[in-house]
Amino acid sequence: MSVPVTRERLRAALDRLPRVTLADLPTPLHDCPRFSEAVGNGVRVLVKRDDLTGLAFGGNKTRKFEFALGDAKAQGATAVVTGAASQSNHARQAAAATARLGMKCVLVNRHDHRSQMGIQGNLLLDYVLGAEVRLVKNGNQQGVKEQVAEELRKQGEVPYIIGGRARALGTAAYVGCLLEILDQLDALDATTDFICTASGHGTHAGLALGVKALGLPIRVQGYTPSRGDEQQRKEGVAGTGNEAAETLEIVTRLEAAAVESTDAYVGENYGIVTQAGLDAVQLLARTEGILLDPVYTGKAVSGVIDRIQKGEIPAGATVVYVHTGGTPALFAYAPELVAHGDYSQQIVSGPETV
Ligand SMILES: *Cc1c(COP(=O)(O)O)cnc(C)c1O
């Protein structure tokens, strides 16, 4: 049993890393009494508003990029190359962050089902924010990123491909988010039993690493947006957390077996809506005025709701849900939302003017 480190020690470890300012921190921690009441079973749900990081519709990548692009700048980079799905929140926030830092941005996104439907949501914002967008229709996306980096070098730019090191740094950023949550709970004279989040790797891993380092009795639950092998996923989260631990030079290590991660709420697969996810989007919107997204956070919150209603998150518990953003995707999923919510347009005539 290792001796828990202190919040001050973690804060000092974070302060040693190169960093740029992109986010308005701390993001708010909002109590959600009307949502908690609607879900039922006597669980208090608070939402950590990382959808409000303040950079071009916000989201968790803003916090992560403070460190990743701090590292890029420290290496003298002038251009960033990254990309994922066509509706990537990561790509949109990279476009915004580089605009703010005066860097060039080339996005290598997938030409997937959503981009074939047109330029909307995050993809639209990528263009508005001035990124150069390439859509890969087949072949190796990573290979295209490397080709782009080579082209940029020939133009005299110093490219930074967002990858492994950025992942460790972004994970460390979520240790910082945990510290904010703890300070905000103190101010409310509250504690939490659960921290829940939509989970790729880094956000979940950073929160879990911070909890373990501090020796806190909080269960950190990740809800992934894509299907996959459970063991591999848990090892991925633990491995990412441990890269961050090395970067922060702390002795704490995560073990895959102790990672709580589920894909039970993904439905068919990544980027395909679920009815429960769309219900969750509408419920939080209609009880608290907080918007979720259909790809990550709607599905994650549908999982939190289900576990509260089944008693797996027990009555009397407190949950902090970390809202990772993603809301611009709502617009790209308008057809699904309109069909789900029965948003028929009521066309009416006004009284005759006299
Ligand atoms: C990228 C993203 C995640 C996953 O973040 P990780 O740091 O990879 O865990 C979750 N939610 C939203 C909305 C995202 O855009």
Side-chain angles (χ1 to χ4, degrees):
M1 193 56 208
S2 57
V3 183
V5 304
T6 60
R7 289 189 209 175
E8 289 65 37
R9 172 79 212 291
L10 286 180
R11 214 165 271 130
L14 281 164
D15 286 344
R16 278 197 297 273
L17 299 174
R19 185 170 184 173
V20 290
T21 301
L22 297 168
D24 295 332
L25 302 179
T27 57
L29 179 68
H30 284 157
D31 211 348
C32 293
R34 283 178 35 78
F35 175 75
S36 303
E37 174 78 31
V39 175
N41 265 4
V43 173
R44 179 185 187 184
V45 180
L46 299 103
V47 177
K48 174 64 171 166
R49 301 296 304 275
D50 268 21
D51 58 319
L52 300 180
T53 48
L55 183 71
F57 291 114
N60 64 340
K61 306 311 180 301
T62 309
R63 199 187 277 279
K64 297 174 81 173
F65 287 159
E66 288 206 335
F67 292 92
L69 298 184
D71 181 54
K73 278 272 183 194
Q75 292 182 25
T78 61
V80 165
V81 182
T82 194
S86 69
Q87 279 300 321
S88 167
N89 301 301
H90 166 103
R92 179 249 314 161
Q93 286 173 91
T98 48
R100 184 136 155 209
L101 296 171
M103 301 169 89
K104 192 178 167 69
C105 184
V106 183
L107 298 175
V108 178
N109 285 340
R110 286 194 291 279
H111 190 41
D112 51 23
H113 179 62
R114 277 300 135 177
S115 54
Q116 286 163 37
M117 288 167 69
I119 297 180
Q120 238 306 5
N122 282 306
L123 184 60
L124 175 67
L125 297 175
D126 294 343
Y127 288 100
V128 172
L129 290 161
E132 183 186 326
V133 183
R134 304 203 190 171
L135 296 167
V136 183
K137 66 172 192 274
N138 51 35
N140 182 332
Q141 198 173 5
Q142 182 60 27
V144 177
K145 288 180 195 171
E146 280 155 22
Q147 282 168 6
V148 168
E150 195 46 45
E151 280 173 39
L152 288 168
R153 260 180 230 109
K154 284 188 184 136
Q155 294 164 20
E157 301 276 356
V158 181
Y160 183 91
I161 301 181
I162 299 186
R165 174 143 179 87
R167 187 174 60 228
L169 290 165
T171 302
Y174 269 83
V175 175
C177 178
L178 176 76
L179 294 174
E180 276 179 23
I181 292 169
L182 296 175
D183 288 347
Q184 289 170 319
L185 286 170
D186 285 353
L188 293 171
D189 207 11
T191 56
T192 193
D193 306 290
F194 294 86
I195 294 178
C196 298
T197 187
S199 164
H201 284 154
T203 299
H204 180 183
L207 294 166
L209 180 68
V211 162
K212 187 163 182 200
L214 295 168
L216 298 171
I218 299 173
R219 285 171 63 183
V220 179
Q221 296 184 331
Y223 297 77
T224 88
S226 28
R227 289 205 170 278
D229 178 69
E230 182 174 346
Q231 186 56 26
Q232 241 177 22
R233 197 166 62 240
K234 291 182 174 186
E235 279 166 12
V237 172
T240 305
N242 293 340
E243 287 170 17
E246 281 175 30
T247 305
L248 289 168
E249 299 176 10
I250 59 172
V251 295
T252 311
R253 293 293 179 271
L254 295 180
E255 284 153 33
V259 170
E260 286 196 59
S261 170
T262 180
D263 67 357
Y265 303 97
V266 173
E268 202 176 319
N269 214 333
Y270 178 86
I272 300 172
V273 302
T274 62
Q275 299 309 303
L278 297 181
D279 283 340
V281 169
Q282 290 188 159
L283 185 64
L284 193 63
R286 292 170 185 191
T287 52
E288 303 288 349
I290 297 175
L291 298 173
L292 296 168
D293 81 292
V295 178
Y296 292 89
T297 58
K299 289 181 183 179
V301 170
S302 79
V304 175
I305 293 170
D306 185 57
R307 285 180 165 171
I308 291 172
Q309 292 179 342
K310 284 182 176 151
E312 291 168 20
I313 294 175
T318 299
V319 172
V320 170
Y321 176 74
V322 178
H323 188 339
T324 45
T327 49
L330 274 176
F331 301 101
Y333 282 78
E336 283 91 336
L337 281 156
V338 170
H340 179 78
D342 187 20
Y343 304 161
S344 55
Q345 300 187 65
Q346 295 189 45
I347 319 270
V348 301
S349 306
E352 300 280 330
T353 42
V354 279

